[in-house]
Amino acid sequence: MIDGGEAIRKLALNVARYTGLAPLARPFVGGIGAILMLHRVTATPEKPDSVNRHLNIAPSFLDAVIADMKAGGYAFVSMDEAVERIKAGGKGGRFATITADDAYRDNMTEALPVLEKHGAPLTIYVAPGLIDGSAHLWWDVVEDIVKACDRLSLATSNGPAVIDCATPARKHQAIARLHAYFTTEVREEDLRTVLRGLAASHGVDADAPRLRTLMTWDEIRAVAAHPLVTIGAHTINHSNLKRLSEADARREIGAVKDMLRTGLGEEPSHFAYPYGYASAVGCREVGFARDAGYASAVTTRHGVLRAEHAGFLHALPRISVNGRYQSLAHIRTMLSGVTTPLANAGKMLVTV
Ligand SMILES: [Zn+2]
């Protein structure tokens, strides 16, 4: 979470799809492979009309995507092998690796059976704070708060701001306002306290979303033992690293390794930047991930992999498999590479 560039990617998808550009463009913009990005995979989402529904796909769609990509010549490999293949400039054929952020329980219960069927490896990026409760799935909590009330009051630098949440349209606006509030106005260090205060004052349980949807440590240990699964790191507290001091950002990237080694018995060698968009990760953070000794680090920037990524293993783009557009045509268009420059101001090599 959270997926940036939604609007531009939608535009890019439609432009490409409606002009039939994708198949023609493939030889010019197609890459050596792709890293697919998932969050939730469930046939029975608790909130099907949620503003966060782009984060969920049905297991049947995952099945269809993998089958379609295999038919199109993709080999599904682990993140370790993906890194080796990037280093080798893509020799060995077109490849894909699947990643899932935040450690949702349905990754184990609903995605893994599909992956077993196809022998497709999965990397799950874990933020221990989300599991322990020192961090929250705040975007879900925000939705619960807005749903629970007709109006709410925010403490801002200009004094209290009253937000109307009485109608569906107002609730939609209120959610957008709260996203801006928590990502730009509240200090990253204060997010948990402010969120819990706002939830409590509206009778909302801030712990409910993580307890309902994320794996426990026992479940993570169980899934980590599966031969298809790699556990990667996602910072300690799912932090927006760009908003932290150097010392705090390095600690979030580095100390999470020790926490995961303690919890799971093995140190992670792959990393995903929380949020992953431009206002959460830049050159500074990429340097920190490299310094911490990870073999790879992924963003949520949109793009296919190119041979040149061998020089940018800590700034790898991904292809988000978006719950709002569960169509094979969208996936094929994105994998053709045609949307990569469209979503990145003309750049074909996407880093940060
Ligand atoms: Zn995340």
Side-chain angles (χ1 to χ4, degrees):
M1 188 44 211
I2 290 172
D3 201 6
E6 183 67 25
I8 193 162
R9 202 152 53 239
K10 187 163 59 165
L11 172 74
L13 279 169
N14 286 331
V15 165
R17 192 151 64 96
Y18 294 136
T19 57
L21 198 58
L24 299 173
R26 168 140 229 156
F28 305 103
V29 296
I32 59 174
I35 304 174
L36 302 185
M37 173 172 68
L38 312 175
H39 286 84
R40 298 200 57 185
V41 181
T42 179
T44 54
E46 303 87 23
K47 296 181 277 185
D49 299 325
S50 163
V51 289
N52 297 310
R53 67 184 181 278
H54 62 286
L55 298 174
N56 178 57
I57 61 164
S60 57
F61 183 60
L62 178 62
D63 187 15
V65 168
I66 298 172
D68 193 59
M69 288 178 68
K70 280 184 153 179
Y74 283 87
F76 280 82
V77 303
S78 67
M79 187 57 83
D80 280 339
E81 189 175 338
V83 169
E84 291 312 311
R85 286 187 180 225
I86 296 168
K87 286 179 179 169
K91 287 194 190 73
R94 211 182 285 156
F95 65 93
T97 190
I98 305 177
T99 63
D101 293 11
D102 307 337
Y104 290 97
R105 181 173 292 115
D106 54 41
N107 295 174
M108 173 179 67
T109 56
E110 298 189 63
L112 200 48
V114 173
L115 301 174
E116 284 173 336
K117 175 182 157 189
H118 292 286
L122 172 70
T123 300
I124 299 174
Y125 295 107
V126 179
L130 285 179
I131 310 302
D132 295 335
S134 63
H136 290 294
L137 295 169
W138 64 263
W139 48 95
D140 277 335
V141 180
V142 158
E143 198 176 349
D144 288 348
I145 295 170
V146 169
K147 190 179 170 206
C149 66
D150 283 342
R151 64 204 293 267
L152 54 85
S153 177
L154 295 183
T156 74
S157 53
N158 299 321
V162 175
I163 316 268
D164 180 0
C165 325
T167 66
R170 292 290 187 195
K171 285 189 191 297
H172 207 77
Q173 289 170 357
I175 288 171
R177 176 73 185 86
L178 282 170
H179 270 253
Y181 180 67
F182 281 110
T183 54
T184 61
E185 295 171 49
V186 175
R187 291 192 330 143
E188 191 70 10
E189 298 87 333
D190 300 334
L191 197 155
R192 180 176 189 272
T193 308
V194 175
L195 181 76
R196 288 192 77 88
L198 196 64
S201 64
H202 293 92
V204 168
D205 179 3
D207 292 305
R210 64 178 188 82
L211 293 175
R212 187 174 61 232
T213 59
L214 297 181
M215 287 189 256
T216 63
W217 279 112
D218 281 345
E219 287 169 329
I220 295 171
R221 273 188 282 275
V223 84
H226 193 285
L228 286 174
V229 174
T230 298
I231 300 294
H234 200 34
T235 73
I236 300 171
N237 290 306
H238 204 277
S239 302
N240 180 327
L241 295 165
K242 246 191 185 176
R243 301 186 74 216
L244 295 181
S245 68
E246 171 168 352
D248 286 346
R250 284 190 184 274
R251 200 180 74 82
E252 284 281 330
I253 295 170
V256 66
K257 283 181 141 184
D258 304 324
M259 294 180 78
L260 289 174
R261 187 178 48 227
T262 304
L264 307 174
E266 199 175 332
E267 191 170 285
S269 41
H270 304 281
F271 181 81
Y273 304 95
Y275 313 106
Y277 41 59
S279 56
V281 47
C283 292
R284 184 189 79 146
E285 291 72 30
V286 168
F288 297 166
R290 192 186 302 121
D291 292 348
Y294 291 103
S296 78
V298 295
T299 69
T300 61
R301 311 291 226 279
H302 175 79
V304 294
L305 297 171
R306 303 186 64 87
E308 298 92 324
H309 278 116
F312 301 93
L313 290 171
H314 300 86
L316 299 175
R318 291 190 280 179
I319 298 290
S320 174
V321 183
N322 188 312
R324 283 204 184 100
Y325 311 102
Q326 296 187 52
S327 102
L328 291 177
H330 278 144
I331 302 290
R332 285 184 196 145
T333 301
M334 293 192 290
L335 290 170
S336 77
V338 70
T339 55
T340 300
L342 289 172
N344 292 281
K347 276 195 299 185
M348 296 221 273
L349 178 66
V350 179
T351 56
V352 289

